[in-house]
Amino acid sequence: VLESLKGVNRGRLQIAVASTVNYFAPRLLAVFQRRYPGIGLRLDVTNRENLVQLLDSNAVDLVLMGLPPTDIDVESEAFMDNPLVVIAPPDHPLAGARQIPLARLAGEIFVMRETGSGTRQAMERFFSERALTIRQGMQMTRNEAVKQAVRSGLGLSVVSLHTIELELETRRLVTLDVEGFPDRRHWYLVYRRGKRLSPAAGAFRDFVLAEAASIAAPTLPAGQPEPD
Ligand code: PGA
């Protein structure tokens, strides 16, 4: 066991994550690094479209993302819930309303992430599967920008619950209790099929699958609708 541990506890590990995963990836890396202090970790944070390119060019060991590609041959393993929620400023007329019918969102403006964002793709899919046309407002390339825009009254948005933990705690944003939300999605650990994972990459994979959810599962503060 000691011998094999020695093999794991060295080398370099290159991980790329969706910009939304950025909200919890460092917590995972902190635990992993304490366990394997000899492994050099490098983290790239980017959107889904770029992650697909990194997988395609075999440029990283492992990717954490919300929507694995279907046009590249990859292994993908779900490791944690990723609920998508509708966010609003606390003074929005719908804040605090129960069981808002989905159709009620038809008149609302939505702040959008950039094309290439997995969150945006999931949001567009959610509304189009339900034949709901929303009004697209401003487009922004960062979760942070989207959150600030919603806070400033530029519209509603749909984001991963992982991105708004602090804003919910301090009530700078609220989630709306809309029919069909939270949209239940998952986070996936992804790598190219057939790729030989290094001992360090294998250790990280095992760690994420076994422990990520207990380290970083998102929670809603009391008084806001729970994901079912
Ligand atoms: P994004 O990825 O940061 O590109 O929106 C998140 C996701 O794929 O769900």
Side-chain angles (χ1 to χ4, degrees):
V1 177
L2 260 186
E3 270 314 298
S4 62
L5 260 182
K6 256 192 232 154
V8 172
N9 196 13
R10 61 168 190 226
R12 232 171 291 184
L13 183 54
Q14 175 124 5
I15 297 158
V17 304
S19 42
T20 302
V21 173
N22 179 36
Y23 288 86
F24 63 83
R27 259 179 283 163
L28 301 184
L29 295 183
V31 177
F32 185 77
Q33 184 80 94
R34 275 197 293 275
R35 206 165 299 169
Y36 300 106
I39 297 178
L41 289 164
R42 187 167 149 187
L43 178 68
D44 258 343
V45 180
T46 185
N47 72 13
R48 178 177 187 276
E49 186 175 334
N50 294 324
L51 293 174
V52 173
Q53 269 168 26
L54 290 171
L55 281 167
D56 196 29
S57 59
N58 204 10
V60 287
D61 294 304
L62 297 166
V63 168
L64 305 182
M65 65 196 304
L67 200 63
T70 48
D71 50 352
I72 308 173
D73 203 13
V74 292
E75 296 278 359
S76 61
E77 300 169 280
F79 65 87
M80 182 161 60
D81 285 343
N82 172 23
L84 286 192
V85 292
V86 182
I87 54 167
D91 60 355
H92 192 276
L94 292 176
R98 306 297 307 234
Q99 301 183 348
I100 302 162
L102 186 60
R104 176 65 184 76
L105 297 187
E108 297 286 335
I109 294 174
F110 279 79
V111 179
M112 307 293 291
R113 282 281 304 278
E114 76 281 9
T115 328
S117 148
T119 306
R120 176 183 175 131
Q121 223 173 302
M123 164 180 175
E124 288 182 327
R125 186 180 297 177
F126 181 93
F127 289 132
S128 80
E129 278 172 357
R130 290 160 183 81
L132 186 84
T133 312
I134 52 152
R135 292 165 63 196
Q136 296 199 355
M138 265 186 222
Q139 175 176 312
M140 322 211 155
T141 50
R142 291 270 187 278
N143 284 303
E144 287 303 315
V146 168
K147 294 191 297 185
Q148 295 298 338
V150 171
R151 241 190 108 185
S152 313
L154 280 171
L156 305 177
S157 195
V158 173
V159 296
S160 164
L161 184 53
H162 277 103
T163 67
I164 49 167
E165 254 176 312
L166 291 178
E167 285 77 7
L168 292 182
E169 245 169 67
T170 53
R171 287 197 67 83
R172 296 201 168 115
L173 291 170
V174 295
T175 60
L176 297 185
D177 180 14
V178 179
E179 174 195 353
F181 286 96
D183 181 17
R184 290 185 66 88
R185 302 177 67 225
H186 294 94
W187 292 120
Y188 294 87
L189 182 131
V190 184
Y191 53 95
R192 281 182 70 112
R193 194 185 302 275
K195 186 177 178 69
R196 262 199 49 185
L197 296 184
S198 67
F204 189 72
R205 171 189 168 275
D206 295 347
F207 164 74
V208 167
L209 296 182
E211 297 180 52
S214 62
I215 296 169
T219 47
L220 281 169
Q224 308 219 22
E226 280 289 335
D228 10 73

